[in-house]
Amino acid sequence: MTIGFAGGKGMIGAQLIRHFAKSSIPMRAIVRSLSPAHESCMRSVSITNGDLCSLHDCEAFLSGVDTIFYLAHTNTPITSDLHWPSDAALNLNPLLTLIQAIGAMGRCPHLIYFSSGGAVYGPNIGRAPFVESDPCQPLSSYGVQKMAGEHYLRLAARKGILRATVLRVSNAYGTILPSQRLQGFIGVAVNNLLSGNPVRVFGNPDNIRDYIHLDDICAIGDAVLQPKEDFNLYNVGSGQGHSVREVLSMIQESADIHTPPDFTSGVEGADSLTDWTVLDISKAKRELNWAPQIELRAGIAKLVQQAREAL
């Protein structure tokens, strides 16, 4: 087996590469460019320099690849609504080009697609954890693009072009993130707090989210390597909800720093964020024998310690 990565430089992709580097599985990644910051993570990976919007580059990347982790995405739920045409061009066309290249090669690989466990579902009046069969009503272009990607993969699997597993991942955390980043609240907040900067909170601090540690995401990556069906999808979260305010309190307690947060740094689009997202993960437990192992408070404490050692 050879594993390919599209979007391997991002937070989850880089963690998956580090995870699979511990095994003897060959890996390949397609990247437009490679900065010094990513070189250490990519040392165990064969690099294909190219663009996912190029059919030729996609074919070069796919040669000999059996399983593809697809994590390529630009924009966040907050920024995706600024210009819908460019959001679609940036985030849907690359996936469709890759699917077209797969069809041209006629090999039927397995594609593991990282969707969104928050953005695809939309409002939840009843406050019951979302199950995979619930209606999806995205509230942002980000969610619409993720949902469209799922449907195209379902169609491609039905046509025998590929096999696909969709992972609807909730709010991932587990590594320190750049202080100005608009996605990945815990990693950004830890960075700002330990650097002596106020933590910026976008949207309502009482919004409820489901958080999942990167190590648990890697574990489900192992669990879905061999597909059981031509198409399937799973929620990937903790099954527990925590408010942004509560999470911030956990970070402050773990770091023993109580700098007041910045609730005033508004960003266009933040007010439209859904107020409640918790995932039902019973399907993944039942079918994959997977369950998260890292409780949120312990995961935050682990990240704060790692960040202090790195800063």
Side-chain angles (χ1 to χ4, degrees), residues 3-4 25-26 72 74 89 122 135 155 160 168 207 214 216 223-224 229 233 235 262 270-271 277 282-283 286 292 305:
I3 298 176
I25 300 176
T74 303
L155 179 61
R168 291 179 176 168
N207 285 346
L214 288 171
D216 287 320
V224 298
E229 301 178 43
L233 62 87
N235 284 337
D262 178 6
D271 292 339
T277 302
S282 57
K283 182 180 179 182
R286 182 177 65 252
Q305 180 181 352

Side-chain angles (χ1 to χ4, degrees), residues 62 65-66 68 95-111 151-164 230:
L62 290 167
V65 169
D66 306 290
I68 304 147
L95 175 63
L96 297 183
T97 304
L98 186 68
I99 293 173
Q100 189 75 19
I102 290 171
M105 298 182 75
R107 294 185 54 248
C108 198
H110 178 211
L111 192 148
H151 284 310
Y152 273 112
L153 289 169
R154 189 191 306 270
L155 179 61
R158 185 179 181 87
K159 290 179 176 292
I161 295 171
L162 48 69
R163 306 181 80 183
D230 289 341

Side-chain angles (χ1 to χ4, degrees), residues 30 50-59 97 101:
I30 182 169
D51 190 327
L52 285 169
C53 286
S54 163
L55 194 63
H56 175 271
D57 292 349
C58 284
E59 290 174 346
T97 304

